[in-house]
């Protein structure tokens, strides 16, 4: 293979690690033939109804079930808790398996990004059906206009329960959603005042999730119809008006562009490239255009090795490479030990990021996980090679450009045992760092 082909393959492997969960050798071969720009265009698209991996992982059948009444029996409460726990695990494992199986991994990677951005947890929502509904909303709306996405999230039942929107009434506004929508979802900390939060909360008064009808409703008698002043605007605003003000502000353009760059490229919040990305994103708040611009700027290819894989990225990538499915609860156990289970972010700020995952405890768990999957997965691409070629075969299998000198020494020591070699390769810094 020529040096130009090697360089292209390295760039495409980087793209697949960031826009997905890593690429198989066959995917990289096809991508090299198609070229970089064509591969970006093929990846950065909406979910396909004909994606065979998605079709093979239909979502669980769930129904919205209310919690027992306050005077419910202990048996009813116990049964309800058991249902919540069981369905929560079922839902988490389903999404993990969908990430593994999806032919185009980008829609799942982007949905996972939005799940961390609009962080909502099963621990409080306590309805797998509503969490699944939000998951589908993030997937179908995650590439469109951001103002529409933020409005849909504001009216999403899981988010309304998570941030207590049903408790927001005229005269006694609840500030939870107004504050988090400004601080975490649209503007970023420091781009609003406490007065803006208070006035913003008034805009959302009367918004409700009606559990009986299982629908969003606006209760006119509970809405504050007074004039509000916030972020330099004055008027009789409701929640939709406020979301338009927030998402169309320059602060929001910068915040969303920064979040995307930091999560998919490099964790530098003051990177000058953000200003360039804003010029693509701002006119129509088009997330798809922002993602394409992120992956096609030459600076993106200079961010190799700049991010640490999140636990979900790490586990899904390993399962895809070794042709395994996320088909048992052990995988959730490993993710629990690593600190990242889908549908269970620790708080509204989502999970930690980047080198926050590089702990001694995490290293130990990754080793246990690697040993588990290496013993069960397809490692024939490594085992079929002579010992002297197995380290390179493992790099090819795991879409790693090359091993550093220390890693090569470690892998050489176990070259006679393909399972141990793949185990160590999965724990090597060249694989753990994205």
């Amino acid at each position: 293979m020529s040096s130009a082909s090697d360089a292209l393959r390295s760039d495409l492997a980087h793209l697949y690690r960031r826009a997905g969960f890593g690429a198989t050798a066959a995917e990289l071969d096809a991508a090299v033939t198609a070229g970089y720009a064509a591969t970006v265009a093929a990846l950065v698209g909406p979910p396909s109804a004909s994606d065979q991996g998605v079709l093979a992982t239909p979502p669980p059948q769930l129904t919205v079930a209310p919690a027992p009444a306050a005077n419910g029996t202990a048996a009813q409460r116990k049964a309800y808790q058991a249902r919540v726990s069981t369905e929560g695990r079922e839902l988490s494992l389903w999404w993990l398996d969908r990430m593994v199986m999806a032919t185009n991994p980008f829609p799942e990677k982007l949905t996972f990004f939005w799940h961390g951005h609009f962080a909502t947890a099963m621990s409080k929502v306590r309805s797998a059906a509503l969490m699944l509904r939000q998951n589908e909303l993030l997937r179908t709306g995650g590439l469109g206009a951001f103002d529409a996405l933020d409005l849909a999230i504001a009216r999403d039942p899981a988010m309304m329960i998570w941030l207590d929107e049903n408790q927001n009434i005229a005269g006694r506004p609840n500030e939870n959603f107004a504050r988090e929508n400004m601080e975490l979802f649209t503007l970023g900390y420091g781009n609003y005042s406490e007065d803006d939060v208070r006035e913003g909360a008034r805009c959302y008064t009367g918004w409700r999730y009606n559990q009986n009808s299982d629908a969003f409703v606006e209760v006119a008698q509970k809405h504050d119809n007074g004039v509000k002043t916030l972020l330099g605007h004055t008027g009789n605003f409701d929640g939709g008006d406020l979301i338009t003000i927030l998402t169309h502000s320059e602060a929001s353009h910068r915040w969303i562009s920064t979040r995307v760059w930091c999560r998919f490229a490099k964790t530098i919040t003051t990177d000058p490239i953000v200003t360039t990305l804003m010029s693509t994103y701002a006119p129509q708040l088009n997330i798809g255009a922002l993602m394409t611009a992120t992956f096609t700027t030459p600076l993106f290819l200079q961010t190799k090795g700049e991010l640490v894989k999140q636990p979900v990225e790490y586990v899904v990538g390993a399962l895809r490479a070794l042709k395994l499915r996320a088909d048992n609860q052990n995988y959730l156990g490993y993710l629990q030990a690593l600190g990242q289970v889908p549908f269970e972010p620790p708080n509204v700020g989502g999970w930690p990021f980047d080198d926050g995952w590089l702990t001694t405890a995490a290293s130990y768990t990754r080793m246990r996980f690697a040993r588990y999957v290496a013993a069960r997965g397809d490692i024939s691409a490594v085992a079929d090679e002579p010992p002297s070629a197995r380290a390179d075969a493992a790099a090819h299998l795991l879409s790693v450009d090359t091993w550093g000198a220390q890693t090569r020494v470690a892998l050489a020591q176990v070259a006679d045992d393909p399972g141990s070699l793949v185990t160590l390769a999965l724990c090597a810094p060249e694989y753990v760092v994205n």
Side-chain angles (χ1 to χ4, degrees), residues 181-192 251 255:
N181 199 33
M182 291 181 190
E183 179 176 335
L184 297 173
F185 304 162
T186 61
L187 299 180
Y189 186 77
N191 292 307
Y192 61 91
W255 177 242

Side-chain angles (χ1 to χ4, degrees), residues 339-389:
Q340 189 177 53
V341 177
F343 301 108
E344 285 294 356
N347 52 57
V348 71
W351 289 283
F353 196 68
D354 210 28
D355 58 5
W357 300 113
L358 295 180
T359 65
T360 301
S363 297
Y364 173 69
T365 300
R366 280 194 294 267
M367 180 62 76
R368 290 194 299 114
F369 165 79
R371 187 179 297 115
Y372 182 81
V373 296
R376 288 161 176 78
D378 181 359
I379 61 170
S380 58
V382 176
D384 291 346
E385 295 291 329
S388 61

Side-chain angles (χ1 to χ4, degrees), residues 203 223-224 226 228 230 233-239 241-242 245:
C203 297
H223 177 65
D224 184 334
K228 297 99 176 171
L230 68 166
H233 299 265
T234 299
N236 182 11
F237 302 132
D238 65 9
D241 298 323
L242 175 55
I245 291 170

Side-chain angles (χ1 to χ4, degrees), residues 47 94 98 107 110-111 114-115 118 120 129-160 287 343:
W94 159 75
R98 179 170 171 141
L110 186 63
T111 302
W114 288 126
H115 178 41
F118 295 109
T120 312
L130 295 184
M131 293 297 289
L132 174 60
R133 189 181 305 175
Q134 184 186 84
N135 181 262
E136 293 171 339
L137 165 63
L138 295 175
R139 187 175 292 106
T140 57
L143 267 181
F146 182 72
D147 50 358
L149 179 61
D150 191 54
L151 178 61
I153 281 292
R155 294 174 170 177
D156 172 70
M159 180 61 74
M160 299 190 82
I287 301 161
F343 301 108

